[in-house]
Amino acid sequence: MFKLEDPNKIATKSSVGHDIKIEKEKPRNLLNVKWAHAVNCQQLLYEALNSDFDMIEADIVLGKLFNKGPDIPIMAHPPLTSSDLSLDSFLFQIKLFNKNYPKKTKGIKLDFKSIEVFEGALDILKVAIPEMTYPIWLNADIIQGPGKGVRTQPVDPKRFLAGCIQFKEAVLSIGWTTDDDPTDEGSYTADDIKAMLTVIKENKINESGHIITFPLRAAFAARSKDVLHDLIRAADITNNCTITIWSAPSDRVDTEKLKQLILSFGSQRVYLDVPIDLQNQLNLSDLRTNLCNSFRVGPCSSLLYFTLASIEI
């Protein structure tokens, strides 16, 4: 179980990539962060709060609460448009839990499925986020990504980042749309990386000081090691960066290539949010218990919000 920390007390990096100031801190292993995924109803939220998860991930769409009333931000994944849990209630319940059980604090990852729901949620976020003393991630797929059969349209990057930039406490989790059924040949390309870096620069995220994590679909990431290192090497000049590897249960993943990707970045750069079967196939037990220093493109110690309570300096 991890102890969650306020990221603003860990480190800062100037907008031009100089004068890195890192407080003395404990080493961190992000592979040990435990994820509750798609917590989109009251029952799943109850179960997540009463389990040993560190981060609670949920999807947000515009829809109706109990299939009644006006459209509001609710916790659901498309194509669903009704839920028994609103965004407002979701955030309040986690806030209350963290206040009452500070040793079991949960972080939050909000996955916005459209620009309309994100902008519709801004008033809620403006009240909730400044009061948070625990991690908050704002996630959206803002760039068209790998896969010939991609049907999902990206969330408008300019409008999404314009809304995010006001929340200095938040991690920006910005990624690519992907095919519903990844092929055995697809990968992230140099053009995908260039498009992401361009969006970051055009929207002045490179000057904002925000921490960034790039969510990557495991099936594609496994075949993209070189360009993903190029991405982190470039983005890390101005923003502390990590990658978050995720996978759908039905995805066909080259586990050996994925393991080599994870090893190449090291446990201080990689969050792993994948099904338990894939975790077992990766067999990362040694890496989970030892800090890896294989990543060579910049300091890792300022990136992370988690620290193993059992590790002492």
Side-chain angles (χ1 to χ4, degrees):
M1 187 67 183
F2 277 70
K3 176 183 176 183
L4 304 188
E5 296 182 349
D6 181 353
N8 296 316
K9 295 180 180 178
I10 294 177
T12 60
K13 179 181 283 191
S14 74
S15 61
V16 294
H18 301 300
D19 301 325
I20 299 172
K21 299 178 181 179
I22 302 174
E23 295 182 9
K24 186 178 181 182
E25 57 181 294
K26 298 177 182 180
R28 308 161 201 279
N29 187 328
L30 297 190
L31 294 174
N32 286 316
V33 175
K34 295 183 178 180
W35 293 84
H37 197 75
V39 181
N40 295 334
C41 68
Q42 185 61 57
Q43 179 62 34
L44 291 178
L45 178 58
Y46 174 82
E47 293 173 3
L49 290 174
N50 289 279
S51 300
D52 63 348
F53 295 113
D54 301 297
M55 290 288 288
I56 298 177
E57 187 269 354
D59 307 296
I60 306 97
V61 301
L62 280 177
K64 300 183 185 302
L65 198 60
F66 297 103
N67 215 23
K68 298 177 181 178
D71 285 347
I72 61 172
I74 61 169
M75 315 313 289
H77 191 285
L80 298 179
T81 57
S82 180
S83 177
D84 65 352
L85 185 60
S86 68
L87 173 61
D88 202 12
S89 178
F90 176 89
L91 295 175
F92 176 77
Q93 290 182 63
I94 295 176
K95 174 186 174 181
L96 188 62
F97 178 90
N98 287 342
K99 179 180 179 181
N100 291 335
Y101 303 98
K103 294 184 178 180
K104 299 180 179 180
T105 298
K106 314 294 185 185
I108 301 170
K109 178 180 177 180
L110 300 176
D111 187 354
F112 292 94
K113 295 304 184 181
S114 70
I115 192 59
E116 290 78 16
V117 71
F118 175 68
E119 292 178 341
L122 281 175
D123 286 344
I124 296 172
L125 298 178
K126 287 176 183 177
V127 173
I129 290 180
E131 298 179 350
M132 293 182 183
T133 57
Y134 40 91
I136 173 68
W137 293 18
L138 303 177
N139 180 89
D141 297 333
I142 61 173
I143 303 291
Q144 193 83 30
K148 297 179 180 179
V150 175
R151 294 195 297 269
T152 303
Q153 289 299 309
V155 173
D156 186 289
K158 184 176 181 179
R159 291 162 65 183
F160 181 72
L161 294 174
C164 288
I165 205 166
Q166 64 190 292
F167 302 116
K168 299 299 183 182
E169 308 90 337
V171 171
L172 305 187
S173 177
I174 46 179
W176 297 259
T177 61
T178 58
D179 199 333
D180 287 343
D181 183 20
T183 67
D184 293 331
E185 294 83 27
S187 64
Y188 294 97
T189 67
D191 286 342
D192 295 330
I193 302 312
K194 181 179 179 180
M196 180 62 74
L197 293 172
T198 298
V199 162
I200 289 171
K201 183 177 181 180
E202 287 180 347
N203 293 279
K204 300 187 184 304
I205 301 304
N206 60 321
E207 301 175 10
S208 71
H210 279 89
I211 293 175
I212 299 173
T213 191
F214 297 103
L216 303 167
R217 195 164 190 168
F220 295 128
R223 296 186 287 269
S224 311
K225 184 172 74 171
D226 290 345
V227 296
L228 293 178
H229 275 279
D230 291 342
L231 169 68
I232 298 301
R233 186 177 293 109
D236 197 61
I237 294 172
T238 56
N239 300 78
N240 289 329
C241 299
T242 61
I243 62 175
T244 301
I245 297 174
W246 64 276
S247 182
S250 60
D251 286 359
R252 300 182 298 277
V253 179
D254 186 325
T255 54
E256 185 55 37
K257 286 185 177 180
L258 182 61
K259 184 173 183 177
Q260 291 306 311
L261 173 73
I262 294 169
L263 290 170
S264 73
F265 277 101
S267 61
Q268 292 182 296
R269 287 278 185 175
V270 183
Y271 293 97
L272 191 62
D273 178 16
V274 300
I276 188 65
D277 287 347
L278 180 54
Q279 291 187 42
N280 291 337
Q281 292 174 45
L282 288 169
N283 190 24
L284 295 170
S285 55
D286 288 344
L287 195 57
R288 289 180 184 276
T289 55
N290 295 285
L291 291 173
C292 177
N293 298 314
S294 63
F295 195 67
R296 298 182 177 86
V297 299
C300 295
S301 56
S302 64
L303 300 177
L304 319 176
Y305 290 7
F306 300 94
T307 180
L308 281 170
S310 60
I311 296 179
E312 299 295 333
I313 296 177

